[in-house]
Amino acid sequence: MIHSLVSWNLKNSRVCGKSGSQGTLTGVGLSIGYPMALNGSPSGLAVMSAAPEGPAEKSGILPGDIILAIDDRSTEDMDIYDAAERLQGPEGTSVDLAIRSGSNTRHVVLKRQKVTLNPVRSRMCEIPGAKENSKVGYIKLTTFNQNAAGSVKEAIKKLRENDVKSFVLDLRNNSGGLFPEGIEIAKIWMDKGVIVYICDSQGVRDIYEADGVATVAASEPLVVLVNKGTASASEILAGALKDNKRAVVYGEPTYGKGKIQSVFALSDGSGLAVTVARYETPAHTDIDKVGVTPDRPLPASFPTDEDGFCSCLRDSSSACNLNAAQLFTR
């Protein structure tokens, strides 16, 4: 969620803080993107995710909200890189945002602060009456910073100590981050198979594969949750797990961000973004502008937090309930 575009040079999302890929940032704790793929509106900039316990989340800003202005400067024609620079600043300084949530517009003043990024939240969900997979390990991955792969491994280890034998990996509203971390996390769940192809106009240029060396959990049943805020590195991971039949993917089509671009500075101070390659899933699906299509939908009321997830699994009468007995079946 809070990341630098290092080794994952795509123009369609940007973080609002410094040193995000290193595990901490100074800013407001937002990941932003262009709203076209989120709600069909070309106006403003879309909130893709908010850092847990960051200034934006504490103020009630949610994924899907639209930033209309930053310090009274309209974002209608603002580049996300410009927006990110405006949202950054010294710790303790403030920034005024005009936010549209649905049909409501409000002003929010956020004070910039250092945010420590733990990219993983996890918990064990126990399902009463379930014969198999009665203990499900839920792992919420919010960003691909340099701590991501290690944090996922640690979460798996702790959940196994509670006799968890199946997992749910939640990538909803994860807008990506460090490409190498995405590859390493795929290797945690896969002991073999192609993870992603890098292609250009001449065809396949490079192939990333799992070789079993870094595998931690290649056999337990696995579900992956995605939505329209799942982008870039998250889409690569979801596509790899789906195409290799390692996981059942639930949710809605993802953001669709699969271009690799280089930005060239022009003499007038502007920049020119040139597409140099693209990412394809193991099944050679070009996800750009299309996204990864899930195997199954989620109920419209399905929650995005770990407590709500467990409640929906436990309560068979709930509108958001998923049949635990069929959860991991393709």
Side-chain angles (χ1 to χ4, degrees), residues 38-118:
L38 289 174
N39 66 0
S41 170
S43 178
L45 295 169
V47 174
M48 299 187 72
S49 54
E53 300 303 315
E57 187 192 59
K58 288 179 179 178
S59 73
I61 295 176
L62 299 172
D65 287 352
I66 302 297
I67 302 174
L68 299 175
I70 303 173
D71 286 334
D72 296 323
R73 169 77 180 271
S74 173
T75 61
E76 183 173 358
D77 298 314
M78 188 179 294
D79 183 90
I80 50 177
Y81 294 93
D82 184 16
E85 291 298 321
R86 293 174 184 276
L87 290 167
Q88 293 176 168
E91 183 178 8
T93 59
S94 297
V95 59
D96 187 331
L97 304 182
I99 301 290
R100 186 177 73 222
S101 302
S103 59
N104 299 318
T105 300
R106 62 191 175 110
H107 277 269
V108 179
V109 177
L110 302 178
K111 183 173 289 187
R112 300 178 180 97
Q113 67 179 56
K114 288 184 179 179
V115 179
T116 299
L117 298 179
N118 181 352

